[in-house]
Amino acid sequence: MDWIQSWKDTLFLLLDDVPVSLREVVASIAIDGTSATTIIIDSRSEEPLSRAFLYNESCPDALPLVKSIAPAKHTVCSGSSTLCKLVSWWNSYPSSKESAVLLHQADWLLWLLHGKLGVSDYNNALKVGYDPEMDSYPPWLLSQPYSHLLPSVQDPGTKIGYMKEDIRTQFGYPKDCLICTGTTDSIAAFLAARATQPGKAVTSLGSTLAIKLLSSRRVEDARFGVYSHRLDDKWLVGGASNTGGAVLRHLFTDEQLEKLSEQINPFETSPLDYYPLQAVGERFPVADPKMEPRLHPRPESDVEYLHGILESIARIEAKGYKLLKDLGATPVEEVITSGGGSKNQKWIKIRERVLGLPVCKADQTEAAYGAALLAMKGACENATSD
């Protein structure tokens, strides 16, 4: 599939989907994209120099070289990091690389709107090696032969420029419509949940299980798939497991999930001990590419089986938060839930019991809402500076 063309087509469909009466009052736009989804562009022709590298693609060929230059346990020391994708491309691309530029998914989509090639944000740039604490690329990265591909980095929600005239006139947006730097999808989902104090956490129960904890202290350890994003003067610490809703969807229909969940007593402990994965391999809270799924024995009762799976995923979530605390992050005090799994009230009750913490559903569960908050921040800052 041509992902790059697909994303461009979808962006323009979304621009066209905004009601005509609202387009003229749109003040600013920001976009969230999938972390570590990587696109390399020729700055002269403005055409891609390869297919897109998707977020979950691993480049094991580049990992030894990346580990030889990066500090131990650094976020880039994972085969799926943006830096591994860049190094893999650099070592295999046969032609001139002088005019190449690296962009993340959100960077590239925003570039289509503002036209200034090579601008990113410090959330997306984390997995290519950007140091959000120093607010710069580290010397060990800048000394590499491919460092000229790295984009400039700004705070998320910062004005880049105004919408290009051809796009603006095609869709009917105002000439002063700002285009602002974006963020990753998981950060946008956290922002949407409005968790603002250290100790507040957001668990996203989508196709995978992702946890994010607002911490006063930065925590990173690639051995466990743990990394920290900067969020103003605090740190968003977390990781993403391969368990989650995709496993449930593989075993049950939405209707079955709803009906079976109604019959679960969430205050009873399930004796079943599973590790629900769709395929071999886990990222967090254990980084083990050879971990096998464990979904047996299966009881005769589908209610008991679903109960066991939901509780097993909750135990993985609890292990994740305990790991973050053990590594030095601010202890979690409350968990806000986003994603499709947040609709399952029985699962929320199971998770409350397993975590031993208050758990609630986020008022806003869409990452796009978080991106809109960043766009509003950019518009407000621009108005103040003007």
Side-chain angles (χ1 to χ4, degrees), residues 219-335:
V219 173
E220 307 230 332
D221 197 324
R223 293 176 304 169
F224 303 108
V226 173
Y227 55 92
S228 291
H229 277 285
R230 181 176 148 200
L231 199 61
D232 295 327
D233 61 343
K234 301 180 185 69
W235 296 97
L236 204 49
V237 185
S241 168
N242 287 336
T243 193
V247 181
L248 295 171
R249 286 278 179 84
H250 183 69
L251 296 167
F252 304 102
T253 65
D254 287 349
E255 185 180 0
Q256 286 174 321
L257 285 170
E258 187 175 343
K259 288 184 176 180
L260 293 171
S261 294
E262 289 173 358
Q263 301 172 63
I264 292 173
N265 181 349
F267 304 106
E268 284 187 1
T269 301
S270 170
L272 299 169
D273 182 23
Y274 300 136
Y275 208 105
L277 297 171
Q278 253 203 310
V280 174
E282 175 62 306
R283 299 176 289 168
F284 169 87
V286 178
D288 181 0
K290 296 180 180 178
M291 180 178 282
E292 295 277 350
R294 191 170 71 248
L295 285 161
H296 293 282
R298 178 168 183 163
E300 291 183 14
S301 166
D302 283 345
V303 175
E304 290 179 19
Y305 191 45
L306 177 59
H307 187 175
I309 294 171
L310 295 179
E311 187 145 336
S312 295
I313 294 174
R315 291 179 194 132
I316 295 168
E317 179 185 5
K319 187 175 180 181
Y321 282 120
K322 182 181 183 301
L323 174 64
L324 298 187
K325 178 185 175 183
D326 292 346
L327 291 173
T330 302
V332 60
E333 297 173 358
E334 180 186 8
V335 177

Side-chain angles (χ1 to χ4, degrees), residues 122-141:
Y122 62 59
N123 293 146
N124 271 297
L126 181 75
K127 292 183 181 178
V128 78
Y130 188 81
D131 187 335
E133 199 163 11
M134 299 298 294
D135 215 3
S136 64
Y137 289 109
W140 61 262
L141 182 56

Side-chain angles (χ1 to χ4, degrees), residues 96-135:
S96 172
K97 307 160 191 152
E98 182 183 339
S99 57
V101 179
L102 180 143
L103 297 175
H104 307 91
Q105 183 187 41
D107 308 336
W108 181 76
L109 289 168
L110 288 163
W111 165 69
L112 294 175
L113 301 183
H114 60 68
K116 298 179 181 179
L117 196 61
V119 182
S120 188
D121 64 88
Y122 62 59
N123 293 146
N124 271 297
L126 181 75
K127 292 183 181 178
V128 78
Y130 188 81
D131 187 335
E133 199 163 11
M134 299 298 294
D135 215 3

Side-chain angles (χ1 to χ4, degrees), residues 90 162 179 213 231 285 318 339 363 367 378:
W90 179 266
Y162 294 99
I179 307 300
L213 168 66
L231 199 61
D363 291 334

